[in-house]
Amino acid sequence: MRRSRFGPIVSDAKVARSRPGDTIALRWIGHEATDEVTALLRASRATTPEGFRAAFAGFGVSAQNMLVAGADGRIGQIMAATLPVRTRFPPADPVLDAGDPDTHWHGLVDAPDLPWIADPPDGVLATANNRPTDTALPVGFFFSADERVRRLYALLHAKDRLAPEDLAALQADTVSPDSGALARHLVEAIRTAGIGGDQSGFLDRLAGWEGDYAAGSSGAPAFEALLHHLVPRVYGAETAEAMPRLMAQWNAITAFLADDLAALAPDRRRQVLAEAVGLAAIDAVPIPVWGDMHRMRVAHILAALPVLGRFFVFGDYPTGGSRETPMKTAHGLVRGRHNATYGSMARHVADMSDPDASWITLFGGQDGWLGSEGLTDQIPLWRERRSIRLPLRPETVAREFPTLIRLSRT
């Protein structure tokens, strides 16, 4: 049997590490009948936050935090999701007992039944893959850290009135407050341990750093080199590759590293810090700024081909940002030159009171056709933090975009 009333059987799948004799089924909202396209079409015609929320009835996957803003100044945030209702959900074990009726699904709830926010007193809303508002039902268990959304709110609250250029700057922000705080903590721990005297220049780079991963930052490569050598040693591994992947994730580093370092015996802590500082100082010498270490690679998907792939790489540029900065350009534990693994791919700012006041930039260009002028034409805009104005009034479009391309089928 491959399917049960609890979903498809997955016990024999390599990714499902089951106990001998177990038969495990996977029940998922994505197996239910949901209608995301209709929900999005309804949402595009909504005229109030309440109508926007109602539009997402029936939206199931993938669950999203959705924001809405109107020309009248009203704003809102909803959960676009469909969730199962259970009497009980023990969080310690994701594999539930099918014989216990309390763990079964007893109906579904969607956006109109889930918590939402409309017109908050401070006048701003932000989201960045962070954990949404608490609900009586489990929404999920794996979310990004809340660092990005905290940084967004800090910038939004810094001014009484925001202009489009403020939002454009916010999308290009490269500051990680948690990185700055951790760097200061580590410098204090190193100096308290009485080590690092031979690497005073290296420690000065760290001590003066506030967590800004700008391409020209000198503190960012020093901090990352230190983490690369320190984190594995705190957890008993010689290299980053030899340690549990979970403990190399940024969520775990910010949550546990400082306390776990402090919990080591004094002699062991001093040894770990001395080894990490010594190696990190060597690594950081030839890398004066973050952009020399952290790179933005512009490539076609065919760049993944062996041997021939190099012909489909169109650029390799210094870039700012990090794992959880508003302008996200993610990476793991690194000590040398590397490419950002994923991150922000589009910037869009719109003044809802003016249909012609909309600006957008895509990382890359407008199409993926090899040889096309639109393949990488927006890379300079992206790097220079500029955008293309995208008017919506027909008369403005006709005036500013006189070239018309007609596509026809023969």
Side-chain angles (χ1 to χ4, degrees):
M1 185 176 69
R2 300 308 307 172
R3 185 173 296 275
S4 72
R5 68 189 182 97
F6 299 107
I9 305 301
V10 298
S11 313
D12 54 350
K14 291 182 179 179
V15 296
R17 297 182 178 178
S18 58
R19 295 168 295 229
D22 278 352
T23 300
I24 299 177
L26 174 66
R27 193 169 189 189
W28 175 47
I29 288 295
H31 297 150
E32 306 297 313
T34 56
D35 189 353
E36 291 72 30
V37 172
T38 299
L40 291 167
L41 291 173
R42 288 196 300 254
S44 69
R45 298 182 178 95
T47 57
T48 64
E50 290 79 7
F52 185 81
R53 183 192 187 198
F56 281 95
F59 186 103
V61 293
S62 61
Q64 305 282 329
N65 286 319
M66 294 284 189
L67 300 179
V68 60
D72 59 358
R74 297 196 64 198
I75 59 175
Q77 178 175 334
I78 64 120
M79 291 187 205
T82 298
L83 301 174
V85 178
R86 296 184 181 92
T87 306
R88 181 171 57 86
F89 190 93
D93 189 350
V95 180
L96 308 182
D97 180 5
D100 181 357
D102 285 346
T103 67
H104 296 183
W105 291 12
H106 301 286
L108 303 172
V109 295
D110 53 17
D113 304 306
L114 294 171
W116 74 306
I117 302 170
D119 306 318
D122 59 358
V124 296
L125 285 170
T127 181
N129 293 336
N130 53 289
R131 183 180 292 277
T133 305
D134 288 336
T135 67
L137 305 168
V139 175
F141 300 97
F142 304 98
F143 296 93
S144 293
D146 66 354
E147 183 179 6
R148 291 174 72 208
V149 77
R150 283 190 280 111
R151 175 64 179 169
L152 293 177
Y153 273 116
L155 294 172
L156 290 170
H157 288 142
K159 289 188 174 183
D160 293 332
R161 192 173 184 84
L162 296 164
E165 52 267 27
D166 295 315
L167 299 183
L170 178 148
Q171 291 181 345
D173 185 78
T174 56
V175 174
S176 166
D178 289 358
S179 295
L182 181 57
R184 291 189 293 274
H185 177 86
L186 293 177
V187 168
E188 182 180 353
I190 291 165
R191 288 177 171 164
T192 299
I195 59 178
D198 295 337
Q199 290 89 20
S200 58
F202 173 81
L203 293 180
D204 288 343
R205 288 173 67 174
L206 274 179
W209 185 58
E210 296 295 326
D212 191 349
Y213 281 89
S217 166
S218 65
F223 176 70
E224 290 298 332
L226 179 60
L227 284 185
H228 181 274
H229 294 289
L230 178 63
V231 173
R233 283 167 171 77
V234 169
Y235 299 108
E238 286 297 320
T239 65
E241 294 74 21
M243 66 179 296
R245 291 180 61 186
L246 175 64
M247 300 312 298
Q249 294 178 2
W250 187 236
N251 283 12
I253 291 172
T254 54
F256 303 118
L257 180 63
D259 289 341
D260 290 345
L261 176 64
L264 296 177
D267 289 345
R268 175 59 181 164
R269 182 167 62 249
R270 190 177 190 284
Q271 178 189 1
V272 162
L273 287 170
E275 291 177 358
V277 170
L279 293 170
I282 294 171
D283 288 337
V285 168
I287 308 175
V289 296
W290 181 232
D292 293 333
M293 188 180 199
H294 192 53
R295 310 294 292 184
M296 179 176 68
R297 184 172 180 257
V298 182
H300 191 272
I301 191 171
L302 293 178
L305 290 172
V307 183
L308 296 178
R310 66 183 186 277
F311 296 109
F312 300 99
V313 178
F314 308 118
D316 177 15
Y317 306 105
T319 190
S322 185
R323 310 167 183 86
E324 292 296 338
T325 54
M327 191 187 87
K328 186 167 185 169
T329 54
H331 56 89
L333 292 173
V334 293
R335 65 188 182 99
R337 187 178 174 120
H338 62 273
N339 294 319
T341 51
Y342 64 91
S344 305
M345 297 300 294
R347 298 175 186 149
H348 184 197
V349 174
D351 182 344
M352 299 300 289
S353 66
D354 181 356
D356 287 342
S358 185
W359 298 266
I360 191 166
T361 315
L362 300 175
F363 178 83
Q366 199 162 336
D367 62 50
W369 292 103
L370 288 171
S372 166
E373 293 181 358
L375 180 63
T376 60
D377 61 333
Q378 294 186 39
I379 291 297
L381 297 177
W382 182 272
R383 296 185 63 210
E384 296 162 15
R385 301 184 179 183
R386 294 186 292 121
S387 294
I388 300 168
R389 191 168 76 103
L390 206 64
L392 297 179
R393 289 188 176 94
E395 61 272 20
T396 310
V397 174
R399 183 175 64 252
E400 297 189 6
F401 296 89
T403 301
L404 179 65
I405 299 174
R406 294 188 184 277
L407 301 179
S408 61
R409 185 174 62 182
T410 58

